[in-house]
Amino acid sequence: MLVHEGLYIGGEWRTAADNPSIEVRSPSTEELIGSVPAATPGDVDAAVAAARRALRSAEWAGLDPERRAELITRFADELVADLSERAALTSKQNGMPISVALPAEGELPVGLLRYYAEMIRNQPVEECRPRLDGRGTTVVRREPVGVVAAIVPWNFPQTLTMFKLAPALAAGCTVVLKPSPETVLDAFELAAAADRAGLPPGVLNVVPGGADIGSYLVAHPGVDKVAFTGSTAAGRSIGEVCGRLLRPVTLELGGKSAAIVVDDADVAAMAQRLAGVSLLNNGQTCYISTRILAPRSRYDEVVDAVAGLADSLTVGEPLARTTQIGPMVSSRHRDRVESYIALGVSEGAKMVAGGDRPDIDRGWFVRPTVFAGVDAGSRIAREEIFGPVLVVLPYDELDEAVVLANDSDYGLGGTVWTSDVDKGIDLARRMETGSVGVNFYSLDPGAPFGGYKDSGLGRELGPEGLTAYQHLKSIYLPL
Ligand code: NAD
């Protein structure tokens, strides 16, 4: 059991003995694995105040980018030291197979810190430009946007935290992090590593809590920017608040991405890759291709290949190296996924794989499930299920496949499967979505990531991900 009694605010672990606690349960054993104090509104006030003080402090604001980069690199070094334990902690909390957690939750947060540390080393704070009218010079200056409220979900808790924390720190911002109650324990490990690395007090603060504490933080007068990853419903309400306050906001939201299978695709090779592309993290991944669009001429072959893949995956204990599908994060979430499976049946789709629970006596498991004969207008074809449930839809002409792919409220990820890469790139260009993979899908931290339509606002990652944490100021100088 990991029991934390203090909250990391202003560079110290403040006792919070009278606060209510948040309990974390293992989704595979259903046992209690840890608890932390829940932050109160008063704790959020203290965290925001500490972040504001740090923003102006000599120890942080006074640092040149090289010194800031050194501190960020030390933070990365601290995270390397317990990489396997941190990855395992995510698996224990949300059921992510350890084979996914090691690279995605262990290594990637470290890589992101190093990437943005290097970027800030090489980016001049000020740049002189001759005026367009020739009457002097303008100094264009990059300044930190200020105190950042970072709110993250449970599915990739450490990495999605670092999507925000790494560029925010590199830009010179300070951060109040609100982790998800389901996976709150890893945020304490990140805070401890930041502390050991010598990040000045108040640069990172952690306020565990649910939606109530999240909305209190979003609207807090001491916050300058909100960076949110989570559901479209929550993102919409956060966007409304930020709109009213004219507060910059980045929203990374839900998805229902399409895989366009072209009639020249190597279907067997595609099926091999679908475990990572369409069912990653037990289907609890925002950008996965869960709507598979197959040419009618090869529809049955694609359905058989996808169903065969789903049936072949090893479902089990997330910490076992051989596990490919772990449990759903909570019993409530499993209920939700199962209700979509029942809905698919009632909507008349044909279940060709899964649909039930595996023969495991405890834990919130669902077998990977595939539906064929799905109507494009049905709810299982349109709504984000966020579990291991795939739908396969037929199309006749490639133009129709593009229309079907784009006929979605979302636009986050997507894939194209073809033996003709040029055709794949052409189709990718026509898809209304923030990212597309040709014959695979793998996030590139060096390139912007984000959504069209209901999948979000703004971009994270790449150099664009740093810009989101910087104000640009122009200083006009006469001749
Ligand atoms: P969620 O929206 O319920 O919660 C996400 C976080 O926001 C949690 O920390 C939660 O406590 C907090 N929160 C909820 N309502 C809030 C509010 N009104 N104000 C402030 N904070 C609030 O989402 P979830 O169930 O934890 O995560 C799953 C969702 O996240 C899925 O829709 C998934 O697609 C999405 N997601 C998107 C991305 C992306 O990059 N686009 C990545 C991962 C997950």
Side-chain angles (χ1 to χ4, degrees):
M1 271 276 279
L2 269 174
V3 178
H4 292 278
E5 279 166 1
L7 289 176
Y8 190 67
I9 293 174
E12 41 183 64
W13 294 95
R14 299 191 179 189
T15 43
D18 296 335
N19 292 32
S21 61
I22 297 175
E23 295 186 335
V24 181
R25 278 189 187 274
S26 155
S28 57
T29 66
E30 303 181 24
E31 281 161 9
L32 201 60
I33 55 170
S35 71
V36 306
T40 62
D43 295 320
V44 175
D45 293 343
V48 173
R52 285 225 81 78
R53 276 194 303 278
L55 188 68
R56 309 269 171 249
S57 70
E59 298 128 289
W60 187 242
L63 296 184
D64 61 26
E66 179 56 40
R67 277 288 301 139
R68 218 158 58 227
E70 271 171 33
L71 277 178
I72 296 171
T73 305
R74 253 195 261 157
F75 186 8
D77 294 342
E78 287 295 335
L79 290 181
V80 170
D82 62 1
L83 192 149
S84 321
E85 291 84 350
R86 275 187 307 100
L89 187 54
T90 293
S91 295
K92 287 178 197 163
Q93 294 176 101
N94 72 3
M96 182 184 293
I98 190 69
S99 58
V100 176
L102 279 167
E105 287 278 290
E107 289 164 15
L108 188 50
V110 176
L112 288 169
L113 283 170
R114 296 203 197 290
Y115 173 66
Y116 283 107
E118 200 48 33
M119 197 177 295
I120 204 72
R121 278 192 175 106
N122 295 313
Q123 185 180 71
V125 176
E126 295 187 351
E127 178 200 328
C128 282
R129 296 184 193 171
R131 285 180 61 99
L132 261 192
D133 59 11
R135 291 193 295 130
T137 308
T138 296
V139 178
V140 177
R141 204 181 136 68
R142 290 169 188 274
E143 295 182 352
V145 85
V147 172
V148 174
I151 301 179
V152 295
W154 45 261
N155 64 332
F156 287 87
Q158 299 185 50
T159 272
L160 293 172
T161 295
M162 215 48 95
F163 274 28
K164 296 153 185 59
L165 190 52
L169 296 180
C173 295
T174 58
V175 177
V176 178
L177 168 67
K178 196 211 75 66
S180 208
E182 291 86 347
T183 52
V184 70
L185 301 173
D186 51 88
F188 282 66
E189 301 306 318
L190 294 184
D195 195 70
R196 289 194 301 274
L199 246 65
V203 170
L204 171 63
N205 311 272
V206 182
V207 288
D212 50 343
I213 279 300
S215 28
Y216 184 75
L217 175 62
V218 165
H220 201 287
V223 165
D224 299 302
K225 178 193 161 84
V226 176
F228 172 79
T229 300
S231 61
T232 294
R236 205 182 291 282
S237 88
I238 290 170
E240 281 169 9
V241 173
C242 290
R244 183 165 47 77
L245 297 170
L246 292 181
R247 182 164 291 171
V249 60
T250 313
L251 302 171
E252 297 285 1
L253 311 177
K256 184 82 176 181
S257 301
I260 298 182
V261 186
V262 180
D263 59 4
D264 63 2
D266 179 342
V267 169
M270 174 188 84
Q272 295 270 313
R273 291 194 166 170
L274 280 191
V277 167
S278 296
L279 291 163
L280 184 72
N281 191 21
N282 322 328
Q284 302 172 134
T285 307
C286 52
Y287 58 68
I288 49 177
S289 298
T290 49
R291 279 188 299 146
I292 296 168
L293 310 180
R296 205 176 294 277
S297 58
R298 298 185 69 188
Y299 185 73
D300 292 345
E301 183 191 346
V302 172
V303 168
D304 287 350
V306 177
L309 163 84
D311 283 337
S312 75
L313 297 174
T314 306
V315 182
E317 166 56 42
L319 289 175
R321 281 289 192 160
T322 49
T323 290
Q324 291 164 294
I325 299 284
M328 301 296 90
V329 69
S330 61
S331 65
R332 192 167 63 96
H333 189 55
R334 179 176 65 175
D335 290 348
R336 183 173 180 275
V337 172
E338 288 183 334
S339 75
Y340 269 105
I341 294 173
L343 179 68
V345 173
S346 73
E347 286 182 321
K350 183 177 171 208
M351 194 191 292
V352 291
D356 53 358
R357 298 178 181 178
D359 193 14
I360 302 174
D361 58 3
R362 55 187 186 160
W364 302 309
F365 293 92
V366 178
R367 282 212 302 136
T369 301
V370 180
F371 282 105
V374 179
D375 187 294
S378 64
R379 286 182 56 198
I380 56 160
R382 300 193 68 82
E383 295 179 15
E384 182 182 50
I385 299 174
F386 222 56
V389 182
L390 305 180
V391 296
V392 191
L393 294 102
Y395 71 84
D396 290 304
E397 302 294 332
L398 260 186
D399 283 349
E400 186 196 344
V402 174
V403 170
L404 275 174
N406 292 341
D407 179 21
S408 172
D409 293 336
Y410 298 109
L412 190 58
T415 44
V416 180
W417 303 88
T418 174
S419 52
D420 178 347
V421 173
D422 288 337
K423 191 186 279 178
I425 297 171
D426 178 52
L427 285 165
R429 288 189 180 119
R430 295 170 63 194
M431 290 167 77
E432 293 164 3
T433 187
S435 54
V436 192
V438 178
N439 293 327
F440 87 135
Y441 185 104
S442 178
L443 206 90
D444 174 9
F449 175 78
Y452 282 31
K453 302 187 267 186
D454 286 0
S455 290
L457 269 186
R459 294 292 178 267
E460 293 189 307
L461 302 180
E464 294 80 3
L466 177 62
T467 313
Y469 294 93
Q470 293 173 321
H471 273 317
L472 291 171
K473 177 184 282 177
S474 296
I475 305 175
Y476 308 131
L477 302 173
L479 273 177

PDB file of all heavy atoms in Angstrom, residues 24 37 40 55 77 79-80 108 132 189 192 196 237 284 291 311 320 325 341 349 361 387 389 409 438 450 463 470:
ATOM      1  N   VAL A  24      -7.140   4.482  -4.108  1.00  0.00           N
ATOM      2  CA  VAL A  24      -6.901   3.917  -5.444  1.00  0.00           C
ATOM      3  C   VAL A  24      -6.966   2.400  -5.349  1.00  0.00           C
ATOM      4  O   VAL A  24      -6.310   1.793  -4.491  1.00  0.00           O
ATOM      5  CB  VAL A  24      -5.517   4.348  -5.996  1.00  0.00           C
ATOM      6  CG1 VAL A  24      -5.286   3.770  -7.388  1.00  0.00           C
ATOM      7  CG2 VAL A  24      -5.410   5.864  -6.020  1.00  0.00           C
ATOM      8  N   PRO A  37      -4.342  12.304   0.349  1.00  0.00           N
ATOM      9  CA  PRO A  37      -5.353  13.284   0.770  1.00  0.00           C
ATOM     10  C   PRO A  37      -5.940  13.975  -0.458  1.00  0.00           C
ATOM     11  O   PRO A  37      -5.201  14.261  -1.406  1.00  0.00           O
ATOM     12  CB  PRO A  37      -4.564  14.294   1.612  1.00  0.00           C
ATOM     13  CG  PRO A  37      -3.157  13.815   1.652  1.00  0.00           C
ATOM     14  CD  PRO A  37      -2.970  12.729   0.659  1.00  0.00           C
ATOM     15  N   THR A  40      -8.415  20.380  -0.855  1.00  0.00           N
ATOM     16  CA  THR A  40      -9.603  21.206  -0.632  1.00  0.00           C
ATOM     17  C   THR A  40      -9.442  22.495  -1.464  1.00  0.00           C
ATOM     18  O   THR A  40      -8.329  22.790  -1.938  1.00  0.00           O
ATOM     19  CB  THR A  40      -9.701  21.601   0.848  1.00  0.00           C
ATOM     20  OG1 THR A  40      -8.528  22.382   1.162  1.00  0.00           O
ATOM     21  CG2 THR A  40      -9.762  20.375   1.750  1.00  0.00           C
ATOM     22  N   LEU A  55       6.721  31.992  -9.837  1.00  0.00           N
ATOM     23  CA  LEU A  55       6.788  32.575 -11.186  1.00  0.00           C
ATOM     24  C   LEU A  55       7.657  33.837 -11.200  1.00  0.00           C
ATOM     25  O   LEU A  55       8.345  34.109 -12.172  1.00  0.00           O
ATOM     26  CB  LEU A  55       5.359  32.918 -11.631  1.00  0.00           C
ATOM     27  CG  LEU A  55       5.163  33.359 -13.071  1.00  0.00           C
ATOM     28  CD1 LEU A  55       5.435  32.203 -14.029  1.00  0.00           C
ATOM     29  CD2 LEU A  55       3.725  33.869 -13.267  1.00  0.00           C
ATOM     30  N   ASP A  77      16.689  12.959 -15.163  1.00  0.00           N
ATOM     31  CA  ASP A  77      17.610  11.959 -14.585  1.00  0.00           C
ATOM     32  C   ASP A  77      16.962  11.270 -13.383  1.00  0.00           C
ATOM     33  O   ASP A  77      17.116  10.065 -13.189  1.00  0.00           O
ATOM     34  CB  ASP A  77      18.928  12.619 -14.142  1.00  0.00           C
ATOM     35  CG  ASP A  77      19.721  13.145 -15.331  1.00  0.00           C
ATOM     36  OD1 ASP A  77      19.443  12.712 -16.467  1.00  0.00           O
ATOM     37  OD2 ASP A  77      20.600  14.013 -15.114  1.00  0.00           O
ATOM     38  N   LEU A  79      13.848  10.788 -12.927  1.00  0.00           N
ATOM     39  CA  LEU A  79      12.782   9.891 -13.386  1.00  0.00           C
ATOM     40  C   LEU A  79      13.345   8.611 -13.996  1.00  0.00           C
ATOM     41  O   LEU A  79      12.698   7.562 -13.965  1.00  0.00           O
ATOM     42  CB  LEU A  79      11.892  10.600 -14.409  1.00  0.00           C
ATOM     43  CG  LEU A  79      11.003  11.721 -13.864  1.00  0.00           C
ATOM     44  CD1 LEU A  79      10.164  12.322 -14.979  1.00  0.00           C
ATOM     45  CD2 LEU A  79      10.083  11.218 -12.754  1.00  0.00           C
ATOM     46  N   VAL A  80      14.551   8.697 -14.556  1.00  0.00           N
ATOM     47  CA  VAL A  80      15.170   7.496 -15.126  1.00  0.00           C
ATOM     48  C   VAL A  80      15.480   6.500 -14.014  1.00  0.00           C
ATOM     49  O   VAL A  80      15.327   5.289 -14.179  1.00  0.00           O
ATOM     50  CB  VAL A  80      16.470   7.853 -15.881  1.00  0.00           C
ATOM     51  CG1 VAL A  80      17.239   6.597 -16.263  1.00  0.00           C
ATOM     52  CG2 VAL A  80      16.161   8.666 -17.121  1.00  0.00           C
ATOM     53  N   LEU A 108       8.780   7.673 -22.076  1.00  0.00           N
ATOM     54  CA  LEU A 108       8.363   8.892 -22.792  1.00  0.00           C
ATOM     55  C   LEU A 108       8.403  10.161 -21.928  1.00  0.00           C
ATOM     56  O   LEU A 108       8.878  11.205 -22.402  1.00  0.00           O
ATOM     57  CB  LEU A 108       6.987   8.671 -23.449  1.00  0.00           C
ATOM     58  CG  LEU A 108       6.488   9.770 -24.381  1.00  0.00           C
ATOM     59  CD1 LEU A 108       7.532  10.166 -25.425  1.00  0.00           C
ATOM     60  CD2 LEU A 108       5.197   9.347 -25.080  1.00  0.00           C
ATOM     61  N   LEU A 132       9.294  46.663 -40.703  1.00  0.00           N
ATOM     62  CA  LEU A 132       8.839  46.573 -42.098  1.00  0.00           C
ATOM     63  C   LEU A 132       8.922  47.921 -42.790  1.00  0.00           C
ATOM     64  O   LEU A 132       9.200  47.996 -43.987  1.00  0.00           O
ATOM     65  CB  LEU A 132       7.381  46.092 -42.148  1.00  0.00           C
ATOM     66  CG  LEU A 132       7.142  44.613 -42.441  1.00  0.00           C
ATOM     67  CD1 LEU A 132       5.672  44.376 -42.739  1.00  0.00           C
ATOM     68  CD2 LEU A 132       7.982  44.142 -43.631  1.00  0.00           C
ATOM     69  N   GLU A 189       4.834  10.576  -7.231  1.00  0.00           N
ATOM     70  CA  GLU A 189       6.204  10.168  -7.598  1.00  0.00           C
ATOM     71  C   GLU A 189       6.855  11.241  -8.476  1.00  0.00           C
ATOM     72  O   GLU A 189       8.044  11.533  -8.326  1.00  0.00           O
ATOM     73  CB  GLU A 189       6.193   8.817  -8.337  1.00  0.00           C
ATOM     74  CG  GLU A 189       5.582   7.674  -7.538  1.00  0.00           C
ATOM     75  CD  GLU A 189       6.226   7.502  -6.167  1.00  0.00           C
ATOM     76  OE1 GLU A 189       7.463   7.591  -6.067  1.00  0.00           O
ATOM     77  OE2 GLU A 189       5.471   7.296  -5.189  1.00  0.00           O
ATOM     78  N   ALA A 192       7.872  14.050  -6.232  1.00  0.00           N
ATOM     79  CA  ALA A 192       9.050  13.705  -5.424  1.00  0.00           C
ATOM     80  C   ALA A 192      10.324  13.795  -6.274  1.00  0.00           C
ATOM     81  O   ALA A 192      11.366  14.285  -5.816  1.00  0.00           O
ATOM     82  CB  ALA A 192       8.889  12.297  -4.838  1.00  0.00           C
ATOM     83  N   ARG A 196      13.526  16.223  -5.665  1.00  0.00           N
ATOM     84  CA  ARG A 196      14.916  15.743  -5.560  1.00  0.00           C
ATOM     85  C   ARG A 196      15.817  16.433  -6.584  1.00  0.00           C
ATOM     86  O   ARG A 196      16.992  16.675  -6.344  1.00  0.00           O
ATOM     87  CB  ARG A 196      14.978  14.223  -5.793  1.00  0.00           C
ATOM     88  CG  ARG A 196      14.403  13.383  -4.667  1.00  0.00           C
ATOM     89  CD  ARG A 196      14.812  11.917  -4.812  1.00  0.00           C
ATOM     90  NE  ARG A 196      14.380  11.311  -6.055  1.00  0.00           N
ATOM     91  CZ  ARG A 196      13.185  10.744  -6.255  1.00  0.00           C
ATOM     92  NH1 ARG A 196      12.305  10.726  -5.277  1.00  0.00           N
ATOM     93  NH2 ARG A 196      12.875  10.208  -7.421  1.00  0.00           N
ATOM     94  N   SER A 237     -17.001  22.189 -21.174  1.00  0.00           N
ATOM     95  CA  SER A 237     -17.364  23.096 -20.069  1.00  0.00           C
ATOM     96  C   SER A 237     -16.135  23.898 -19.623  1.00  0.00           C
ATOM     97  O   SER A 237     -16.261  25.085 -19.278  1.00  0.00           O
ATOM     98  CB  SER A 237     -18.065  22.341 -18.933  1.00  0.00           C
ATOM     99  OG  SER A 237     -17.147  21.845 -18.029  1.00  0.00           O
ATOM    100  N   GLN A 284      -8.303   1.935 -24.143  1.00  0.00           N
ATOM    101  CA  GLN A 284      -8.489   3.180 -23.374  1.00  0.00           C
ATOM    102  C   GLN A 284      -7.465   4.222 -23.840  1.00  0.00           C
ATOM    103  O   GLN A 284      -6.647   4.698 -23.051  1.00  0.00           O
ATOM    104  CB  GLN A 284      -8.365   2.881 -21.880  1.00  0.00           C
ATOM    105  CG  GLN A 284      -9.373   1.837 -21.406  1.00  0.00           C
ATOM    106  CD  GLN A 284      -9.139   1.372 -19.971  1.00  0.00           C
ATOM    107  OE1 GLN A 284     -10.069   1.300 -19.207  1.00  0.00           O
ATOM    108  NE2 GLN A 284      -7.909   1.059 -19.616  1.00  0.00           N
ATOM    109  N   ARG A 291     -12.811   2.587 -35.720  1.00  0.00           N
ATOM    110  CA  ARG A 291     -13.792   2.396 -36.806  1.00  0.00           C
ATOM    111  C   ARG A 291     -13.014   1.898 -38.009  1.00  0.00           C
ATOM    112  O   ARG A 291     -12.254   2.659 -38.618  1.00  0.00           O
ATOM    113  CB  ARG A 291     -14.415   3.742 -37.208  1.00  0.00           C
ATOM    114  CG  ARG A 291     -15.520   4.225 -36.323  1.00  0.00           C
ATOM    115  CD  ARG A 291     -16.182   5.459 -36.951  1.00  0.00           C
ATOM    116  NE  ARG A 291     -15.279   6.575 -37.121  1.00  0.00           N
ATOM    117  CZ  ARG A 291     -15.354   7.429 -38.131  1.00  0.00           C
ATOM    118  NH1 ARG A 291     -16.259   7.278 -39.081  1.00  0.00           N
ATOM    119  NH2 ARG A 291     -14.514   8.451 -38.198  1.00  0.00           N
ATOM    120  N   ASP A 311      -9.529 -12.273 -30.931  1.00  0.00           N
ATOM    121  CA  ASP A 311      -9.597 -13.553 -30.211  1.00  0.00           C
ATOM    122  C   ASP A 311      -8.218 -14.040 -29.772  1.00  0.00           C
ATOM    123  O   ASP A 311      -8.095 -14.804 -28.818  1.00  0.00           O
ATOM    124  CB  ASP A 311     -10.229 -14.629 -31.116  1.00  0.00           C
ATOM    125  CG  ASP A 311     -11.743 -14.470 -31.194  1.00  0.00           C
ATOM    126  OD1 ASP A 311     -12.322 -13.863 -30.268  1.00  0.00           O
ATOM    127  OD2 ASP A 311     -12.335 -14.933 -32.191  1.00  0.00           O
ATOM    128  N   ALA A 320       2.007  -8.877 -16.060  1.00  0.00           N
ATOM    129  CA  ALA A 320       2.618 -10.026 -16.739  1.00  0.00           C
ATOM    130  C   ALA A 320       3.106  -9.580 -18.122  1.00  0.00           C
ATOM    131  O   ALA A 320       2.373  -8.928 -18.862  1.00  0.00           O
ATOM    132  CB  ALA A 320       1.599 -11.151 -16.871  1.00  0.00           C
ATOM    133  N   ILE A 325      -3.954  -7.404 -23.213  1.00  0.00           N
ATOM    134  CA  ILE A 325      -5.148  -6.641 -22.826  1.00  0.00           C
ATOM    135  C   ILE A 325      -5.347  -6.798 -21.318  1.00  0.00           C
ATOM    136  O   ILE A 325      -5.492  -7.915 -20.815  1.00  0.00           O
ATOM    137  CB  ILE A 325      -6.401  -7.162 -23.571  1.00  0.00           C
ATOM    138  CG1 ILE A 325      -6.259  -7.022 -25.092  1.00  0.00           C
ATOM    139  CG2 ILE A 325      -7.667  -6.451 -23.071  1.00  0.00           C
ATOM    140  CD1 ILE A 325      -6.431  -5.624 -25.654  1.00  0.00           C
ATOM    141  N   ILE A 341     -21.507  -2.569 -25.532  1.00  0.00           N
ATOM    142  CA  ILE A 341     -21.555  -3.873 -26.214  1.00  0.00           C
ATOM    143  C   ILE A 341     -23.017  -4.319 -26.340  1.00  0.00           C
ATOM    144  O   ILE A 341     -23.472  -4.751 -27.411  1.00  0.00           O
ATOM    145  CB  ILE A 341     -20.693  -4.913 -25.457  1.00  0.00           C
ATOM    146  CG1 ILE A 341     -19.212  -4.498 -25.536  1.00  0.00           C
ATOM    147  CG2 ILE A 341     -20.900  -6.320 -26.026  1.00  0.00           C
ATOM    148  CD1 ILE A 341     -18.260  -5.337 -24.707  1.00  0.00           C
ATOM    149  N   ALA A 349     -26.102  -4.964 -34.806  1.00  0.00           N
ATOM    150  CA  ALA A 349     -24.787  -5.324 -35.346  1.00  0.00           C
ATOM    151  C   ALA A 349     -24.472  -6.778 -34.993  1.00  0.00           C
ATOM    152  O   ALA A 349     -25.038  -7.333 -34.052  1.00  0.00           O
ATOM    153  CB  ALA A 349     -23.728  -4.393 -34.765  1.00  0.00           C
ATOM    154  N   ASP A 361     -11.260 -14.668 -12.272  1.00  0.00           N
ATOM    155  CA  ASP A 361     -12.260 -14.559 -11.206  1.00  0.00           C
ATOM    156  C   ASP A 361     -12.366 -13.187 -10.540  1.00  0.00           C
ATOM    157  O   ASP A 361     -13.305 -12.910  -9.816  1.00  0.00           O
ATOM    158  CB  ASP A 361     -12.077 -15.675 -10.161  1.00  0.00           C
ATOM    159  CG  ASP A 361     -10.695 -15.641  -9.558  1.00  0.00           C
ATOM    160  OD1 ASP A 361      -9.928 -14.714  -9.912  1.00  0.00           O
ATOM    161  OD2 ASP A 361     -10.358 -16.527  -8.758  1.00  0.00           O
ATOM    162  N   GLY A 387     -12.924   1.575 -24.802  1.00  0.00           N
ATOM    163  CA  GLY A 387     -12.663   0.211 -24.343  1.00  0.00           C
ATOM    164  C   GLY A 387     -12.306  -0.624 -25.554  1.00  0.00           C
ATOM    165  O   GLY A 387     -12.273  -0.106 -26.684  1.00  0.00           O
ATOM    166  N   VAL A 389     -13.383  -2.256 -28.049  1.00  0.00           N
ATOM    167  CA  VAL A 389     -14.539  -2.566 -28.896  1.00  0.00           C
ATOM    168  C   VAL A 389     -14.337  -1.903 -30.263  1.00  0.00           C
ATOM    169  O   VAL A 389     -14.203  -0.681 -30.345  1.00  0.00           O
ATOM    170  CB  VAL A 389     -15.851  -2.048 -28.253  1.00  0.00           C
ATOM    171  CG1 VAL A 389     -17.049  -2.419 -29.117  1.00  0.00           C
ATOM    172  CG2 VAL A 389     -16.023  -2.597 -26.836  1.00  0.00           C
ATOM    173  N   ASP A 409     -18.036  13.422 -35.308  1.00  0.00           N
ATOM    174  CA  ASP A 409     -17.900  14.643 -34.515  1.00  0.00           C
ATOM    175  C   ASP A 409     -16.440  14.862 -34.137  1.00  0.00           C
ATOM    176  O   ASP A 409     -16.046  15.959 -33.753  1.00  0.00           O
ATOM    177  CB  ASP A 409     -18.724  14.535 -33.225  1.00  0.00           C
ATOM    178  CG  ASP A 409     -20.222  14.500 -33.513  1.00  0.00           C
ATOM    179  OD1 ASP A 409     -20.624  14.994 -34.585  1.00  0.00           O
ATOM    180  OD2 ASP A 409     -20.972  13.956 -32.680  1.00  0.00           O
ATOM    181  N   VAL A 438       0.235   5.999 -41.822  1.00  0.00           N
ATOM    182  CA  VAL A 438       0.105   5.157 -43.015  1.00  0.00           C
ATOM    183  C   VAL A 438       0.751   3.814 -42.690  1.00  0.00           C
ATOM    184  O   VAL A 438       1.947   3.738 -42.423  1.00  0.00           O
ATOM    185  CB  VAL A 438       0.763   5.829 -44.240  1.00  0.00           C
ATOM    186  CG1 VAL A 438       0.658   4.915 -45.467  1.00  0.00           C
ATOM    187  CG2 VAL A 438       0.097   7.180 -44.536  1.00  0.00           C
ATOM    188  N   GLY A 450      -2.967  16.858 -31.737  1.00  0.00           N
ATOM    189  CA  GLY A 450      -4.198  17.470 -31.240  1.00  0.00           C
ATOM    190  C   GLY A 450      -5.337  17.164 -32.175  1.00  0.00           C
ATOM    191  O   GLY A 450      -5.184  16.393 -33.116  1.00  0.00           O
ATOM    192  N   PRO A 463       7.684  21.674 -31.451  1.00  0.00           N
ATOM    193  CA  PRO A 463       7.965  23.067 -31.083  1.00  0.00           C
ATOM    194  C   PRO A 463       6.670  23.836 -30.813  1.00  0.00           C
ATOM    195  O   PRO A 463       6.639  24.733 -29.970  1.00  0.00           O
ATOM    196  CB  PRO A 463       8.668  23.634 -32.327  1.00  0.00           C
ATOM    197  CG  PRO A 463       9.098  22.453 -33.121  1.00  0.00           C
ATOM    198  CD  PRO A 463       8.216  21.302 -32.776  1.00  0.00           C
ATOM    199  N   GLN A 470       4.054  30.229 -24.160  1.00  0.00           N
ATOM    200  CA  GLN A 470       4.817  31.479 -24.244  1.00  0.00           C
ATOM    201  C   GLN A 470       3.937  32.631 -24.722  1.00  0.00           C
ATOM    202  O   GLN A 470       3.124  32.461 -25.622  1.00  0.00           O
ATOM    203  CB  GLN A 470       5.980  31.306 -25.247  1.00  0.00           C
ATOM    204  CG  GLN A 470       7.026  30.315 -24.748  1.00  0.00           C
ATOM    205  CD  GLN A 470       8.071  30.010 -25.804  1.00  0.00           C
ATOM    206  OE1 GLN A 470       7.755  29.894 -26.983  1.00  0.00           O
ATOM    207  NE2 GLN A 470       9.311  29.856 -25.372  1.00  0.00           N
TER     208      GLN A 470
END
